[in-house]
Coordinates of all heavy atoms in Angstrom, one line a residue:
M1 N -94.6 -177.3 -172.2 CA -94.8 -178.2 -171.1 C -95.5 -179.4 -171.6 O -96.4 -179.4 -172.3 CB -95.5 -177.5 -170.0 CG -95.6 -178.4 -168.8 SD -96.5 -177.5 -167.4 CE -95.0 -176.7 -166.7
R2 N -95.0 -180.6 -171.1 CA -95.6 -181.9 -171.6 C -96.2 -182.6 -170.3 O -95.7 -182.3 -169.2 CB -94.4 -182.7 -172.1 CG -93.8 -182.1 -173.3 CD -92.6 -182.9 -173.8 NE -91.6 -183.0 -172.5 CZ -90.5 -183.6 -172.5 NH1 -90.1 -184.1 -173.5 NH2 -89.8 -183.5 -171.4
P3 N -97.1 -183.4 -170.4 CA -97.8 -184.2 -169.3 C -96.7 -184.9 -168.5 O -96.7 -184.9 -167.3 CB -98.7 -185.1 -170.0 CG -99.0 -184.5 -171.3 CD -97.9 -183.7 -171.7
E4 N -95.7 -185.4 -169.1 CA -94.6 -186.1 -168.3 C -93.8 -185.1 -167.5 O -93.0 -185.6 -166.6 CB -93.7 -187.0 -169.1 CG -93.0 -186.3 -170.3 CD -94.0 -186.3 -171.7 OE1 -95.0 -186.7 -171.6 OE2 -93.3 -185.9 -172.7
D5 N -93.8 -183.9 -167.7 CA -93.0 -182.8 -167.0 C -93.8 -182.6 -165.6 O -93.2 -181.9 -164.6 CB -93.1 -181.5 -167.6 CG -92.2 -181.7 -168.9 OD1 -91.2 -182.5 -168.9 OD2 -92.4 -180.9 -169.8
L6 N -95.0 -183.1 -165.3 CA -95.8 -182.8 -164.1 C -95.9 -184.0 -163.4 O -95.9 -185.2 -163.9 CB -97.2 -182.4 -164.6 CG -97.4 -181.2 -165.5 CD1 -98.8 -181.0 -165.9 CD2 -96.7 -180.0 -164.7
T7 N -95.8 -183.8 -162.0 CA -96.0 -185.1 -161.0 C -97.1 -184.6 -160.1 O -97.3 -183.4 -159.9 CB -94.7 -185.3 -160.3 OG1 -94.2 -184.1 -159.5 CG2 -93.7 -185.8 -161.3
V8 N -97.7 -185.6 -159.5 CA -98.8 -185.3 -158.5 C -98.1 -185.7 -157.2 O -97.6 -186.7 -156.9 CB -100.0 -186.2 -158.7 CG1 -101.0 -186.0 -157.7 CG2 -100.6 -185.8 -160.1
N9 N -98.3 -184.8 -156.1 CA -97.8 -185.1 -154.8 C -99.0 -185.0 -153.9 O -99.6 -184.0 -153.6 CB -96.9 -184.0 -154.4 CG -96.3 -184.2 -153.0 OD1 -96.6 -185.1 -152.3 ND2 -95.2 -183.3 -152.7
L10 N -99.3 -186.1 -153.3 CA -100.6 -186.3 -152.5 C -100.4 -186.3 -151.0 O -101.1 -186.7 -150.2 CB -101.3 -187.5 -153.0 CG -101.9 -187.6 -154.3 CD1 -102.5 -188.9 -154.7 CD2 -102.8 -186.4 -154.6
E11 N -99.1 -185.8 -150.6 CA -98.7 -185.9 -149.2 C -99.6 -184.8 -148.5 O -99.8 -183.6 -149.0 CB -97.3 -185.5 -149.0 CG -96.4 -186.5 -149.4 CD -94.9 -186.3 -149.2 OE1 -94.5 -186.0 -148.1 OE2 -94.2 -186.3 -150.2
Q12 N -100.0 -185.1 -147.3 CA -100.8 -184.1 -146.5 C -100.0 -183.2 -145.7 O -100.4 -182.1 -145.4 CB -101.9 -184.9 -145.7 CG -102.9 -185.5 -146.5 CD -104.2 -186.0 -145.7 OE1 -104.1 -185.8 -144.4 NE2 -105.0 -186.7 -146.2
K13 N -99.1 -183.7 -145.1 CA -98.1 -183.0 -144.3 C -98.8 -182.0 -143.4 O -98.8 -180.8 -143.1 CB -97.2 -182.0 -145.1 CG -96.3 -182.8 -146.2 CD -95.2 -181.9 -146.7 CE -94.4 -182.7 -147.6 NZ -93.3 -182.1 -148.0
G14 N -99.6 -182.7 -142.5 CA -100.2 -182.1 -141.2 C -101.6 -181.3 -141.6 O -101.9 -180.6 -140.7
V15 N -102.1 -181.5 -142.6 CA -103.4 -180.9 -142.9 C -104.4 -181.2 -142.0 O -105.0 -180.2 -141.5 CB -103.8 -181.1 -144.4 CG1 -105.2 -180.6 -144.7 CG2 -102.8 -180.6 -145.5
D16 N -104.5 -182.5 -141.7 CA -105.6 -182.7 -140.7 C -105.4 -182.1 -139.3 O -106.3 -181.7 -138.7 CB -105.6 -184.4 -140.5 CG -106.2 -185.1 -141.7 OD1 -106.7 -184.5 -142.6 OD2 -106.1 -186.3 -141.5
M17 N -104.1 -182.0 -138.9 CA -103.8 -181.3 -137.7 C -104.3 -179.9 -137.8 O -104.9 -179.4 -136.7 CB -102.4 -181.5 -137.3 CG -102.2 -180.9 -136.0 SD -100.4 -181.0 -135.6 CE -99.8 -179.7 -136.7
R18 N -103.9 -179.3 -138.9 CA -104.2 -177.9 -138.9 C -105.8 -177.6 -138.9 O -106.3 -176.7 -138.4 CB -103.6 -177.2 -140.1 CG -102.0 -177.1 -140.0 CD -101.3 -176.3 -141.0 NE -101.3 -176.9 -142.3 CZ -100.4 -177.6 -142.8 NH1 -99.2 -177.8 -142.0 NH2 -100.4 -178.2 -143.9
I19 N -106.6 -178.4 -139.6 CA -107.9 -178.4 -139.7 C -108.6 -178.5 -138.3 O -109.3 -177.8 -137.9 CB -108.6 -179.3 -140.7 CG1 -108.2 -178.9 -142.1 CG2 -110.1 -179.4 -140.6 CD1 -108.6 -180.1 -143.2
G20 N -108.0 -179.5 -137.6 CA -108.4 -179.8 -136.2 C -108.2 -178.6 -135.3 O -109.1 -178.1 -134.5
V21 N -107.0 -177.9 -135.4 CA -106.7 -176.7 -134.6 C -107.7 -175.6 -135.1 O -108.2 -175.0 -134.2 CB -105.3 -176.3 -134.8 CG1 -105.1 -174.9 -134.3 CG2 -104.4 -177.3 -134.2
D22 N -108.0 -175.5 -136.4 CA -109.0 -174.5 -136.8 C -110.3 -174.7 -136.1 O -111.1 -173.7 -135.7 CB -109.1 -174.4 -138.3 CG -107.9 -173.7 -138.9 OD1 -107.1 -173.1 -138.2 OD2 -107.8 -173.9 -140.2
I23 N -110.8 -175.9 -136.1 CA -112.1 -176.4 -135.5 C -112.1 -175.9 -134.1 O -113.1 -175.4 -133.6 CB -112.3 -177.9 -135.9 CG1 -112.6 -178.1 -137.3 CG2 -113.5 -178.3 -135.0 CD1 -112.8 -179.6 -137.7
S24 N -111.1 -176.3 -133.4 CA -111.0 -176.0 -131.9 C -111.0 -174.6 -131.8 O -111.7 -174.1 -130.8 CB -109.7 -176.6 -131.4 OG -109.9 -178.1 -131.3
S25 N -110.3 -173.8 -132.5 CA -110.2 -172.3 -132.4 C -111.6 -171.6 -132.6 O -112.1 -170.8 -131.8 CB -109.2 -171.8 -133.3 OG -109.1 -170.3 -133.2
L26 N -112.2 -172.1 -133.6 CA -113.6 -171.7 -133.9 C -114.6 -171.9 -132.8 O -115.4 -171.1 -132.5 CB -114.1 -172.1 -135.2 CG -113.4 -171.7 -136.5 CD1 -113.9 -172.7 -137.7 CD2 -113.7 -170.3 -136.8
A27 N -114.5 -173.1 -132.3 CA -115.4 -173.5 -131.2 C -115.0 -172.7 -130.0 O -116.0 -172.3 -129.3 CB -115.2 -175.0 -131.0
F28 N -113.8 -172.6 -129.5 CA -113.5 -171.8 -128.3 C -113.9 -170.4 -128.4 O -114.3 -169.8 -127.4 CB -111.9 -171.9 -128.0 CG -111.4 -172.9 -127.3 CD1 -110.3 -173.7 -127.7 CD2 -112.1 -173.4 -126.1 CE1 -109.9 -174.9 -127.0 CE2 -111.5 -174.6 -125.3 CZ -110.6 -175.2 -125.8
K29 N -113.7 -169.8 -129.5 CA -114.0 -168.4 -129.6 C -115.5 -168.1 -130.0 O -116.0 -167.0 -130.1 CB -113.2 -167.8 -130.8 CG -111.6 -167.8 -130.5 CD -110.9 -167.2 -131.7 CE -109.5 -167.3 -131.4 NZ -108.7 -167.0 -132.7
R30 N -116.3 -169.2 -130.1 CA -117.7 -169.2 -130.4 C -118.0 -168.4 -131.6 O -118.9 -167.6 -131.9 CB -118.5 -168.5 -129.2 CG -118.3 -169.2 -127.9 CD -119.4 -170.1 -127.6 NE -119.4 -170.6 -126.4 CZ -119.7 -171.9 -126.1 NH1 -120.2 -172.6 -127.0 NH2 -119.5 -172.4 -124.9
Q31 N -117.1 -168.6 -132.7 CA -117.2 -167.9 -133.9 C -118.3 -168.5 -134.9 O -118.6 -167.8 -135.9 CB -115.9 -167.7 -134.6 CG -115.0 -166.8 -133.9 CD -113.7 -166.7 -134.5 OE1 -113.1 -167.8 -134.9 NE2 -113.1 -165.4 -134.5
V32 N -118.7 -169.6 -134.6 CA -119.7 -170.4 -135.4 C -120.7 -171.2 -134.5 O -120.3 -171.5 -133.4 CB -119.0 -171.4 -136.3 CG1 -118.0 -170.7 -137.4 CG2 -118.1 -172.5 -135.5
D33 N -121.8 -171.5 -135.1 CA -122.8 -172.2 -134.5 C -122.8 -173.7 -135.0 O -123.2 -174.6 -134.3 CB -124.2 -171.8 -134.7 CG -124.4 -170.3 -134.2 OD1 -123.9 -170.1 -133.0 OD2 -125.1 -169.5 -134.8
R34 N -122.2 -173.9 -136.1 CA -122.2 -175.2 -136.7 C -120.9 -175.4 -137.5 O -120.5 -174.5 -138.2 CB -123.5 -175.4 -137.6 CG -123.4 -176.8 -138.4 CD -124.7 -176.9 -139.2 NE -125.9 -177.2 -138.3 CZ -127.0 -176.8 -138.6 NH1 -127.3 -176.3 -139.8 NH2 -128.0 -177.1 -137.7
I35 N -120.4 -176.5 -137.5 CA -119.2 -177.0 -138.4 C -119.7 -178.2 -139.1 O -120.2 -179.1 -138.6 CB -118.0 -177.3 -137.5 CG1 -117.4 -176.0 -136.8 CG2 -116.9 -177.9 -138.4 CD1 -116.4 -176.2 -135.8
I36 N -119.4 -178.0 -140.5 CA -119.7 -179.2 -141.3 C -118.3 -179.6 -141.9 O -117.6 -178.9 -142.6 CB -120.6 -178.8 -142.5 CG1 -121.9 -178.3 -142.0 CG2 -120.7 -180.0 -143.4 CD1 -122.9 -177.8 -143.0
L37 N -118.0 -180.9 -141.5 CA -116.7 -181.4 -141.9 C -116.8 -182.4 -142.9 O -117.7 -183.3 -143.0 CB -116.0 -182.1 -140.7 CG -114.7 -182.7 -140.9 CD1 -113.6 -181.8 -141.3 CD2 -114.2 -183.7 -139.8
V38 N -116.2 -182.2 -144.1 CA -116.3 -183.2 -145.2 C -114.9 -184.2 -145.0 O -113.9 -183.9 -145.4 CB -116.1 -182.4 -146.5 CG1 -116.3 -183.3 -147.7 CG2 -117.3 -181.4 -146.7
S39 N -115.4 -185.2 -144.3 CA -114.3 -186.3 -144.1 C -115.0 -187.4 -143.3 O -116.2 -187.2 -142.8 CB -113.2 -185.6 -143.2 OG -112.3 -186.7 -143.0
G40 N -114.3 -188.4 -143.2 CA -114.8 -189.6 -142.3 C -113.6 -190.1 -141.5 O -113.7 -191.2 -140.8
D41 N -112.6 -189.3 -141.5 CA -111.3 -189.7 -140.9 C -111.4 -189.7 -139.3 O -111.8 -188.6 -138.8 CB -110.2 -188.8 -141.4 CG -108.9 -189.3 -141.1 OD1 -108.7 -189.9 -140.1 OD2 -107.8 -188.8 -141.9
S42 N -110.9 -190.6 -138.6 CA -110.9 -190.6 -137.2 C -109.9 -189.6 -136.6 O -110.0 -189.3 -135.4 CB -110.7 -192.0 -136.6 OG -109.4 -192.5 -136.9
D43 N -109.0 -189.1 -137.4 CA -108.1 -188.0 -137.0 C -108.9 -186.8 -136.4 O -108.3 -186.1 -135.6 CB -107.1 -187.6 -138.0 CG -106.1 -188.7 -138.5 OD1 -106.1 -189.7 -137.7 OD2 -105.5 -188.5 -139.5
F44 N -110.1 -186.6 -136.7 CA -110.9 -185.5 -136.3 C -111.7 -185.7 -135.1 O -112.5 -184.8 -134.7 CB -111.7 -185.0 -137.4 CG -111.0 -184.5 -138.7 CD1 -111.0 -185.2 -139.8 CD2 -110.3 -183.3 -138.6 CE1 -110.3 -184.7 -140.9 CE2 -109.6 -182.8 -139.7 CZ -109.5 -183.6 -140.9
V45 N -111.6 -186.8 -134.4 CA -112.3 -187.1 -133.3 C -112.0 -186.0 -132.1 O -113.0 -185.5 -131.6 CB -112.1 -188.5 -132.8 CG1 -112.6 -188.7 -131.3 CG2 -112.7 -189.5 -133.6
P46 N -110.8 -185.8 -131.8 CA -110.5 -184.8 -130.7 C -111.1 -183.4 -131.1 O -111.8 -182.8 -130.3 CB -109.0 -184.7 -130.6 CG -108.4 -185.9 -131.3 CD -109.4 -186.3 -132.3
A47 N -111.2 -183.0 -132.3 CA -111.7 -181.8 -132.7 C -113.3 -181.7 -132.7 O -113.8 -180.9 -132.2 CB -111.3 -181.4 -134.1
A48 N -113.8 -182.9 -133.1 CA -115.2 -183.0 -133.0 C -115.7 -183.0 -131.6 O -116.7 -182.3 -131.2 CB -115.7 -184.3 -133.7
K49 N -115.1 -183.7 -130.6 CA -115.4 -183.7 -129.2 C -115.3 -182.3 -128.7 O -116.1 -181.9 -127.8 CB -114.5 -184.7 -128.5 CG -114.7 -186.2 -128.8 CD -113.7 -187.1 -128.2 CE -113.7 -187.3 -126.8 NZ -112.8 -188.3 -126.3
Q50 N -114.2 -181.6 -129.0 CA -114.0 -180.3 -128.5 C -115.1 -179.3 -128.9 O -115.7 -178.6 -128.0 CB -112.7 -179.6 -128.9 CG -112.3 -178.3 -128.4 CD -112.3 -178.3 -126.9 OE1 -111.7 -179.1 -126.3 NE2 -113.0 -177.2 -126.3
A51 N -115.5 -179.3 -130.1 CA -116.5 -178.5 -130.7 C -117.9 -178.8 -130.1 O -118.5 -177.9 -129.5 CB -116.7 -178.7 -132.3
R52 N -118.2 -180.1 -129.8 CA -119.4 -180.4 -129.2 C -119.4 -180.0 -127.6 O -120.5 -179.6 -127.2 CB -119.7 -181.9 -129.3 CG -119.9 -182.3 -130.8 CD -120.2 -183.7 -130.9 NE -121.5 -183.9 -130.5 CZ -121.9 -185.2 -130.1 NH1 -121.0 -186.1 -129.8 NH2 -123.1 -185.5 -129.6
R53 N -118.4 -180.2 -127.0 CA -118.2 -179.7 -125.6 C -118.5 -178.1 -125.6 O -119.0 -177.8 -124.5 CB -116.8 -180.0 -125.0 CG -116.7 -181.3 -124.5 CD -115.4 -181.5 -123.6 NE -114.2 -181.2 -124.3 CZ -113.4 -182.2 -124.8 NH1 -113.8 -183.4 -124.8 NH2 -112.4 -181.8 -125.5
E54 N -118.0 -177.4 -126.6 CA -118.3 -175.9 -126.5 C -119.8 -175.6 -127.1 O -120.0 -174.5 -127.3 CB -117.3 -175.3 -127.4 CG -115.9 -175.5 -127.0 CD -115.6 -174.8 -125.6 OE1 -116.1 -173.7 -125.3 OE2 -114.9 -175.5 -124.7
G55 N -120.5 -176.6 -127.4 CA -121.9 -176.3 -127.8 C -122.1 -176.1 -129.3 O -123.1 -175.7 -129.7
I56 N -121.2 -176.5 -130.1 CA -121.1 -176.3 -131.6 C -121.9 -177.6 -132.2 O -121.5 -178.7 -131.9 CB -119.8 -176.1 -132.2 CG1 -119.1 -175.0 -131.5 CG2 -119.8 -175.9 -133.7 CD1 -119.7 -173.6 -131.6
D57 N -122.8 -177.4 -133.2 CA -123.3 -178.6 -133.9 C -122.2 -179.0 -134.7 O -121.6 -178.4 -135.5 CB -124.5 -178.1 -134.6 CG -125.6 -178.0 -133.7 OD1 -125.8 -178.6 -132.8 OD2 -126.5 -177.2 -134.2
F58 N -121.8 -180.3 -134.7 CA -120.8 -180.9 -135.6 C -121.3 -181.8 -136.6 O -121.9 -182.9 -136.1 CB -119.8 -181.6 -134.7 CG -118.4 -181.7 -135.4 CD1 -117.5 -180.8 -135.4 CD2 -118.2 -183.0 -136.0 CE1 -116.2 -181.0 -136.1 CE2 -117.0 -183.2 -136.7 CZ -116.0 -182.2 -136.7
I59 N -121.4 -181.5 -137.7 CA -122.1 -182.2 -138.8 C -121.0 -182.8 -139.7 O -120.0 -182.1 -140.1 CB -123.0 -181.4 -139.7 CG1 -123.9 -180.5 -138.7 CG2 -123.9 -182.2 -140.8 CD1 -124.8 -181.4 -137.9
L60 N -121.2 -184.0 -140.2 CA -120.3 -184.8 -141.0 C -120.8 -185.1 -142.4 O -122.1 -185.4 -142.4 CB -119.9 -186.1 -140.4 CG -118.7 -186.7 -140.8 CD1 -117.5 -186.0 -140.7 CD2 -118.6 -188.2 -140.2
D61 N -120.1 -184.7 -143.3 CA -120.5 -185.1 -144.8 C -119.3 -186.0 -145.3 O -118.3 -185.3 -145.7 CB -120.7 -183.9 -145.6 CG -121.2 -184.2 -147.1 OD1 -121.0 -185.4 -147.5 OD2 -121.6 -183.3 -147.7
P62 N -119.4 -187.3 -145.3 CA -118.3 -188.1 -145.8 C -118.2 -188.3 -147.3 O -117.3 -188.9 -147.8 CB -118.6 -189.4 -145.2 CG -120.1 -189.5 -145.0 CD -120.5 -188.0 -144.8
M63 N -119.2 -187.6 -148.1 CA -119.2 -187.6 -149.4 C -119.2 -189.0 -150.0 O -118.4 -189.3 -151.0 CB -118.0 -186.8 -150.1 CG -118.1 -185.4 -149.8 SD -119.5 -184.6 -150.6 CE -118.9 -184.4 -152.3
G64 N -119.9 -190.0 -149.4 CA -120.0 -191.3 -149.8 C -118.9 -192.2 -149.3 O -118.8 -193.5 -149.5
S65 N -117.9 -191.7 -148.6 CA -116.8 -192.5 -148.0 C -117.2 -193.1 -146.7 O -118.1 -192.7 -146.1 CB -115.5 -191.6 -147.8 OG -115.1 -191.2 -149.0
H66 N -116.4 -194.1 -146.3 CA -116.5 -194.7 -145.0 C -116.3 -193.8 -143.9 O -115.5 -192.9 -143.8 CB -115.4 -195.9 -144.9 CG -115.4 -196.5 -143.7 ND1 -116.4 -197.4 -143.1 CD2 -114.5 -196.5 -142.7 CE1 -116.1 -197.8 -141.9 NE2 -115.0 -197.3 -141.6
I67 N -117.1 -193.9 -142.9 CA -116.9 -193.1 -141.6 C -116.4 -194.1 -140.4 O -117.0 -195.1 -140.2 CB -118.3 -192.5 -141.1 CG1 -118.9 -191.7 -142.2 CG2 -118.1 -191.8 -139.9 CD1 -120.4 -191.4 -142.0
E68 N -115.3 -193.7 -139.9 CA -114.7 -194.4 -138.8 C -115.8 -194.4 -137.7 O -116.4 -193.4 -137.3 CB -113.4 -193.9 -138.3 CG -112.4 -194.0 -139.4 CD -111.9 -195.5 -139.7 OE1 -112.1 -196.3 -138.8 OE2 -111.5 -195.8 -140.8
D69 N -116.1 -195.6 -136.9 CA -116.9 -195.6 -135.8 C -116.6 -194.7 -134.7 O -117.5 -194.1 -134.2 CB -117.0 -197.1 -135.3 CG -117.6 -198.1 -136.2 OD1 -118.3 -197.7 -137.1 OD2 -117.3 -199.3 -135.9
E70 N -115.3 -194.6 -134.5 CA -114.9 -193.7 -133.4 C -115.4 -192.2 -133.6 O -115.8 -191.5 -132.8 CB -113.4 -193.6 -133.3 CG -113.0 -192.9 -132.1 CD -111.4 -192.9 -132.0 OE1 -110.7 -193.6 -132.9 OE2 -110.9 -192.5 -130.8
L71 N -115.4 -191.8 -135.0 CA -115.7 -190.5 -135.3 C -117.3 -190.2 -135.3 O -117.9 -189.3 -134.9 CB -115.4 -190.0 -136.7 CG -115.6 -188.6 -137.3 CD1 -115.2 -187.6 -136.3 CD2 -115.2 -188.4 -138.6
F72 N -117.9 -191.3 -135.8 CA -119.3 -191.5 -135.9 C -120.0 -191.1 -134.4 O -121.0 -190.6 -134.3 CB -119.9 -192.7 -136.4 CG -121.4 -192.7 -136.8 CD1 -121.7 -192.1 -138.0 CD2 -122.2 -193.3 -136.0 CE1 -123.2 -191.9 -138.3 CE2 -123.7 -193.3 -136.2 CZ -124.1 -192.6 -137.4
E73 N -119.3 -191.6 -133.4 CA -119.8 -191.5 -132.0 C -119.9 -190.0 -131.6 O -120.5 -189.7 -130.6 CB -119.0 -192.2 -131.1 CG -119.0 -193.8 -131.2 CD -118.1 -194.4 -130.3 OE1 -117.6 -193.8 -129.2 OE2 -117.7 -195.6 -130.6
H74 N -119.1 -189.1 -132.3 CA -118.9 -187.8 -131.8 C -119.4 -186.7 -132.7 O -118.8 -185.5 -132.7 CB -117.4 -187.5 -131.5 CG -116.8 -188.4 -130.4 ND1 -117.2 -188.4 -129.1 CD2 -116.1 -189.5 -130.5 CE1 -116.6 -189.3 -128.5 NE2 -116.0 -190.0 -129.3
I75 N -120.5 -187.1 -133.5 CA -121.1 -186.1 -134.5 C -122.5 -185.8 -133.9 O -123.1 -186.7 -133.3 CB -120.9 -186.5 -135.9 CG1 -121.8 -187.8 -136.1 CG2 -119.5 -186.7 -136.3 CD1 -121.9 -188.1 -137.7
D76 N -123.1 -184.7 -134.4 CA -124.5 -184.2 -134.0 C -125.3 -184.7 -135.2 O -126.6 -184.7 -135.0 CB -124.6 -182.8 -133.7 CG -123.8 -182.5 -132.5 OD1 -124.1 -183.1 -131.4 OD2 -123.1 -181.5 -132.4
G77 N -124.8 -184.8 -136.4 CA -125.6 -185.0 -137.6 C -124.9 -185.5 -138.8 O -123.6 -185.4 -138.7
L78 N -125.6 -186.0 -139.7 CA -124.9 -186.6 -140.9 C -125.6 -186.1 -142.1 O -126.8 -186.0 -142.1 CB -124.9 -188.1 -140.9 CG -124.1 -188.9 -141.9 CD1 -122.7 -188.7 -141.8 CD2 -124.4 -190.4 -141.7
Q79 N -125.0 -185.5 -143.1 CA -125.5 -185.1 -144.3 C -124.6 -185.3 -145.4 O -123.4 -185.5 -145.2 CB -126.0 -183.7 -144.3 CG -124.9 -182.7 -144.3 CD -125.4 -181.2 -144.3 OE1 -126.3 -180.8 -143.7 NE2 -124.5 -180.4 -144.9
T80 N -125.1 -185.5 -146.7 CA -124.2 -185.5 -147.7 C -124.8 -184.9 -149.0 O -125.9 -184.7 -149.1 CB -123.9 -187.0 -148.1 OG1 -122.9 -187.1 -149.1 CG2 -125.2 -187.7 -148.6
R81 N -123.8 -184.3 -149.8 CA -124.2 -183.6 -151.0 C -123.6 -184.4 -152.2 O -123.5 -183.9 -153.2 CB -123.5 -182.2 -151.2 CG -124.0 -181.3 -150.0 CD -125.3 -180.8 -150.3 NE -125.7 -179.7 -149.3 CZ -127.0 -179.8 -148.9 NH1 -127.9 -180.6 -149.2 NH2 -127.3 -179.0 -148.0
I82 N -123.4 -185.7 -151.9 CA -122.8 -186.6 -153.0 C -123.7 -186.6 -154.3 O -123.3 -186.6 -155.4 CB -122.4 -187.9 -152.6 CG1 -121.5 -188.7 -153.5 CG2 -123.6 -188.7 -152.1 CD1 -120.2 -188.2 -153.7
N83 N -125.2 -186.8 -154.1 CA -125.9 -186.8 -155.1 C -126.1 -185.6 -155.9 O -126.2 -185.6 -157.1 CB -127.3 -187.3 -154.6 CG -127.5 -188.8 -154.2 OD1 -126.7 -189.4 -154.6 ND2 -128.4 -188.9 -153.1
W84 N -126.0 -184.4 -155.1 CA -126.0 -183.2 -155.9 C -124.7 -183.0 -156.7 O -124.9 -182.6 -157.8 CB -125.9 -182.0 -154.8 CG -125.8 -180.7 -155.3 CD1 -126.9 -179.9 -155.8 CD2 -124.8 -179.9 -155.6 NE1 -126.5 -178.6 -156.3 CE2 -125.1 -178.7 -156.1 CE3 -123.5 -180.2 -155.3 CZ2 -124.2 -177.7 -156.6 CZ3 -122.4 -179.2 -155.6 CH2 -122.9 -178.0 -156.1
L85 N -123.6 -183.4 -156.2 CA -122.4 -183.4 -156.9 C -122.3 -184.3 -158.1 O -121.9 -183.8 -159.3 CB -121.1 -183.7 -156.0 CG -119.8 -183.4 -156.6 CD1 -119.6 -182.0 -156.9 CD2 -118.8 -183.9 -155.4
K86 N -122.9 -185.4 -158.0 CA -123.1 -186.5 -159.1 C -123.7 -185.8 -160.2 O -123.4 -186.0 -161.4 CB -123.7 -187.7 -158.7 CG -122.8 -188.6 -158.0 CD -123.6 -189.8 -157.5 CE -122.7 -190.8 -156.6 NZ -123.5 -192.0 -156.2
K87 N -124.8 -185.0 -160.0 CA -125.6 -184.4 -161.0 C -125.0 -183.2 -161.6 O -125.1 -182.9 -162.8 CB -127.1 -184.0 -160.5 CG -127.9 -185.0 -160.1 CD -129.2 -184.5 -159.4 CE -130.1 -185.8 -158.9 NZ -131.1 -185.3 -158.2
K88 N -124.4 -182.4 -160.7 CA -123.8 -181.2 -161.2 C -122.4 -181.3 -161.9 O -122.1 -180.5 -162.8 CB -123.7 -180.2 -160.1 CG -124.9 -179.7 -159.4 CD -125.8 -178.7 -160.4 CE -127.0 -178.3 -159.9 NZ -127.7 -177.4 -160.6
S89 N -121.4 -182.1 -161.3 CA -120.2 -182.1 -161.7 C -119.7 -183.6 -161.6 O -118.7 -183.8 -160.8 CB -119.3 -181.2 -160.9 OG -119.7 -179.9 -161.1
P90 N -120.2 -184.5 -162.3 CA -119.7 -185.9 -162.2 C -118.2 -186.1 -162.5 O -117.6 -187.0 -161.9 CB -120.7 -186.7 -163.2 CG -121.1 -185.7 -164.0 CD -121.1 -184.5 -163.3
S91 N -117.6 -185.3 -163.2 CA -116.3 -185.4 -163.5 C -115.3 -185.2 -162.3 O -114.2 -185.6 -162.3 CB -115.9 -184.5 -164.7 OG -116.0 -183.2 -164.2
L92 N -115.9 -184.5 -161.3 CA -115.1 -184.3 -160.0 C -115.0 -185.4 -159.2 O -114.0 -185.5 -158.2 CB -115.6 -183.1 -159.3 CG -115.7 -181.7 -159.9 CD1 -116.4 -180.6 -159.1 CD2 -114.2 -181.3 -160.3
L93 N -115.8 -186.5 -159.4 CA -115.8 -187.6 -158.4 C -114.8 -188.6 -159.0 O -114.6 -189.0 -160.0 CB -117.2 -188.1 -158.4 CG -118.3 -187.4 -157.8 CD1 -119.7 -188.0 -158.0 CD2 -118.1 -186.9 -156.4
L94 N -114.2 -189.1 -157.9 CA -113.1 -190.2 -158.1 C -114.0 -191.5 -158.0 O -115.0 -191.6 -157.5 CB -112.1 -190.3 -156.9 CG -111.3 -189.1 -156.8 CD1 -110.4 -189.3 -155.5 CD2 -110.4 -189.0 -158.0
P95 N -113.5 -192.5 -158.8 CA -114.2 -193.8 -158.8 C -114.2 -194.4 -157.4 O -113.4 -194.3 -156.6 CB -113.4 -194.8 -159.8 CG -112.2 -193.9 -160.2 CD -112.3 -192.5 -159.7
S96 N -115.3 -195.2 -157.1 CA -115.4 -195.7 -155.8 C -114.4 -196.9 -155.7 O -114.2 -197.7 -156.7 CB -116.8 -196.3 -155.6 OG -117.7 -195.4 -155.6
P97 N -113.6 -197.0 -154.6 CA -112.7 -198.2 -154.4 C -113.3 -199.5 -154.5 O -114.6 -199.6 -154.0 CB -112.1 -197.9 -153.1 CG -113.0 -197.0 -152.3 CD -113.8 -196.4 -153.3
K98 N -112.8 -200.5 -155.0 CA -113.3 -201.8 -155.2 C -113.0 -202.7 -154.0 O -112.1 -202.6 -153.4 CB -112.8 -202.4 -156.5 CG -113.1 -201.5 -157.8 CD -114.0 -202.3 -158.6 CE -114.1 -201.3 -159.8 NZ -115.4 -201.1 -160.3

């Protein structure tokens, strides 16, 4: 096998929607007290709102990325592990966009 034999496919194909459904399901069933979402994508606004309506603490960790204002309005807290990750595994981080 050679490097040119491999390709990268970065299509999400509904991943955000499935994560949102999982968040809603966990909230409805009261299976968790807190959800920590690693994203800043406004696609998660409906799930964040639903979780909060059900009394779940909705925490966001954008890992240094931009947070959409619409999502920021619907979170209970903000935390990040980006500094920990930089120290432990800097090779896992993508370069910051210019």
Side-chain angles (χ1 to χ4, degrees):
M1 183 173 278
R2 303 168 303 181
E4 55 269 13
D5 293 330
L6 305 173
T7 61
V8 177
N9 182 352
L10 299 177
E11 291 182 53
Q12 289 190 4
K13 297 192 180 189
V15 171
D16 288 356
M17 182 185 68
R18 288 191 291 262
I19 292 171
V21 168
D22 287 345
I23 290 170
S24 292
S25 177
L26 290 167
F28 272 132
K29 295 176 183 177
R30 305 258 184 218
Q31 293 178 316
V32 296
D33 296 323
R34 175 178 292 158
I35 293 173
I36 301 174
L37 177 67
V38 180
S39 178
D41 192 336
S42 63
D43 288 349
F44 294 107
V45 168
K49 289 169 74 172
Q50 179 63 46
R52 292 181 75 210
R53 273 195 298 266
E54 297 298 319
I56 307 300
D57 287 333
F58 198 87
I59 310 299
L60 189 66
D61 184 345
M63 295 292 286
S65 297
H66 172 75
I67 304 167
E68 294 293 332
D69 290 340
E70 187 179 8
L71 179 59
F72 192 77
E73 293 175 23
H74 299 289
I75 62 173
D76 293 307
L78 186 63
Q79 69 178 31
T80 188
R81 297 284 183 224
I82 193 74
N83 292 330
W84 176 86
L85 187 59
K86 283 179 182 177
K87 290 176 187 173
K88 295 289 184 181
S89 300
S91 63
L92 294 178
L93 298 173
L94 296 174
S96 297
K98 305 247 180 219

